[in-house]
């Protein structure tokens, strides 16, 4: 089915628009843009050069996708902003494209970005994440699947958040947040995020193993390196435990504060 495009929208003839899209008045779309099938673009949205958008996305009023990176290293290079499928992008969201040639900012599938959220340059976001009102994600961050950011969270540059973690409202953090935990406003371990872990297929037995692993990390009186070794020695192996170990081992800036 052909797309329905308002004659009051300003769309470059070079842009590629998929089938069965609906584009409202006063939308602005630049040359080097690709939009997949069945997307809905509401009024006053700007979709800028380098954007590659998948299918069935809804982009609400005032959002800017593929905005120029807010990075002092940016020299006008050609880069990309990759948006997957089935994302809900609410009002006044900004997603920057990457800083350098050939690099990408990536938003996966089935994410929800609430009003005023901002995803900065070169950040990689997985699937099924929720970004609460006014949440700001700085450049070069990595966010795995199923992460929940409450409102007004600030994630500083080059940090990582593991799968199934939840960040409480008003939190600002500059260290990595491991998988399946709650990060409190004091930027410390607030326990295992059991509800989201269940949604990720973690059974009760494995939840106990995860809790034991984090007891060694956050309640132990050892360095992170030694805590990882203790997890390997004392906690039964499994895919979720291996994911936690890999995440901790790959942390280059350290993890959030112990209790």
């Amino acid at each position: 089915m052909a797309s329905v495009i308002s004659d009051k929208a300003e769309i470059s003839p070079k842009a590629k628009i998929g089938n069965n899209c609906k584009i409202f008045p006063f939308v602005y779309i630049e040359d080097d843009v690709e939009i997949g099938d069945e997307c809905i673009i509401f009024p006053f949205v700007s979709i800028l050069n380098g954007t590659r958008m998948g299918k069935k996305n809804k982009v609400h009023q005032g959002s800017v996708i593929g905005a120029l990176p807010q990075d002092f290293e940016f020299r006008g290079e050609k880069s990309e902003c990759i948006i997957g499928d089935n994302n809900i992008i609410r009002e006044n969201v900004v997603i920057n494209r990457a800083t350098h040639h050939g690099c990408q900012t990536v938003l996966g599938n089935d994410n929800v970005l609430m009003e005023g959220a901002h995803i900065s340059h070169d950040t990689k976001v997985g699937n099924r994440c929720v970004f609460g009102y006014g949440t700001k994600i700085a450049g070069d961050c990595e966010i795995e699947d199923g992460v929940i950011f409450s409102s007004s969270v600030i994630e500083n540059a080059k940090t990582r958040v593991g799968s199934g973690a939840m960040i409480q409202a008003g939190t600002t953090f500059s260290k990595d947040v491991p998988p399946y935990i709650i990060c409190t406003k004091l930027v410390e371990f607030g326990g295992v995020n059991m509800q989201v872990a269940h949604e990720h297929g973690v059974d009760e037995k494995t939840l106990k193993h995860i809790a034991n692993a984090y007891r060694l990390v956050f309640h132990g009186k050892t360095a992170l390196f030694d805590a990882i070794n203790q997890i390997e020695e004392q906690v039964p192996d499994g895919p979720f435990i291996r994911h936690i170990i890999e995440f901790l081992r790959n942390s280059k800036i350290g993890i959030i504060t112990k209790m």
Side-chain angles (χ1 to χ4, degrees), residues 110-128:
D110 303 299
N111 297 289
V112 177
L113 286 72
M114 296 185 184
E115 186 273 329
H118 187 161
I119 307 294
S120 295
H121 64 88
D122 298 283
T123 284
K124 306 293 190 294
V125 178
N127 307 312
R128 304 181 309 281

Side-chain angles (χ1 to χ4, degrees), residues 31-254:
D31 297 347
D32 185 23
V33 170
E34 298 177 10
I35 296 176
D37 298 342
E38 300 182 61
C39 289
I40 300 175
I41 313 298
F42 288 96
F44 302 106
V45 168
S46 296
I47 303 179
L48 307 182
N49 287 327
T51 300
R52 309 285 181 264
M53 184 179 294
K55 301 176 181 179
K56 297 183 178 180
N57 295 288
K58 293 182 180 179
V59 186
H60 288 253
Q61 288 89 333
S63 292
V64 183
I65 311 300
L68 295 179
Q70 298 180 45
D71 184 346
F72 291 123
E73 294 184 4
F74 180 61
R75 299 290 183 270
E77 300 172 48
K78 186 175 181 178
S79 61
E80 292 183 325
C81 176
I82 308 298
I83 309 294
D85 302 330
N86 298 301
N87 295 289
I88 297 174
I89 299 172
R90 293 300 304 263
E91 296 81 3
N92 304 313
V93 167
V94 176
I95 305 177
N96 297 107
R97 64 180 172 94
T99 298
H100 296 299
H101 178 73
C103 295
Q104 299 175 334
T105 301
V106 178
L107 179 72
N109 305 320
D110 303 299
N111 297 289
V112 177
L113 286 72
M114 296 185 184
E115 186 273 329
H118 187 161
I119 307 294
S120 295
H121 64 88
D122 298 283
T123 284
K124 306 293 190 294
V125 178
N127 307 312
R128 304 181 309 281
C129 295
V130 176
F131 296 83
Y133 300 107
T135 287
K136 311 298 182 183
I137 310 298
D140 297 292
C141 292
E142 296 180 21
I143 299 167
E144 296 183 347
D145 295 343
V147 174
I148 298 174
F149 293 85
S150 298
S151 61
S152 300
V153 172
I154 297 176
E155 178 177 357
N156 286 319
K158 300 181 180 180
T159 52
R160 301 183 302 147
V161 182
S163 297
M166 183 177 76
I167 317 299
Q168 289 187 346
T171 299
T172 297
F173 62 99
S174 301
K175 300 288 185 180
D176 293 346
V177 177
Y180 306 113
I181 74 167
I182 297 170
C183 177
T184 73
K185 192 173 181 179
L186 298 175
V187 196
E188 64 181 17
F189 175 62
V192 176
N193 192 3
M194 293 188 178
Q195 180 176 349
V196 172
H198 278 306
E199 292 173 359
H200 281 238
V202 182
D203 58 33
E204 291 295 334
K205 185 177 180 179
T206 304
L207 266 177
K208 292 179 180 179
H209 297 331
I210 291 173
N212 190 27
Y214 284 129
R215 178 184 62 81
L216 294 169
V217 172
F218 289 103
H219 295 285
K221 297 181 179 180
T222 61
L224 179 61
F225 175 84
D226 295 321
I228 292 170
N229 289 336
Q230 290 176 352
I231 294 172
E232 291 179 319
E233 293 170 359
Q234 299 178 30
V235 179
D237 187 33
F240 293 101
I241 298 301
R242 287 195 296 272
H243 181 201
I244 291 170
I245 290 172
E246 180 183 7
F247 187 97
L248 296 173
R249 185 165 279 149
N250 289 335
S251 180
K252 297 176 181 177
I253 60 175

Side-chain angles (χ1 to χ4, degrees), residues 17-36:
I17 310 297
N19 296 318
N20 201 26
C21 293
K22 186 170 184 180
I23 299 179
F24 282 78
F26 312 116
V27 168
Y28 173 72
I29 299 177
E30 292 189 328
D31 297 347
D32 185 23
V33 170
E34 298 177 10
I35 296 176

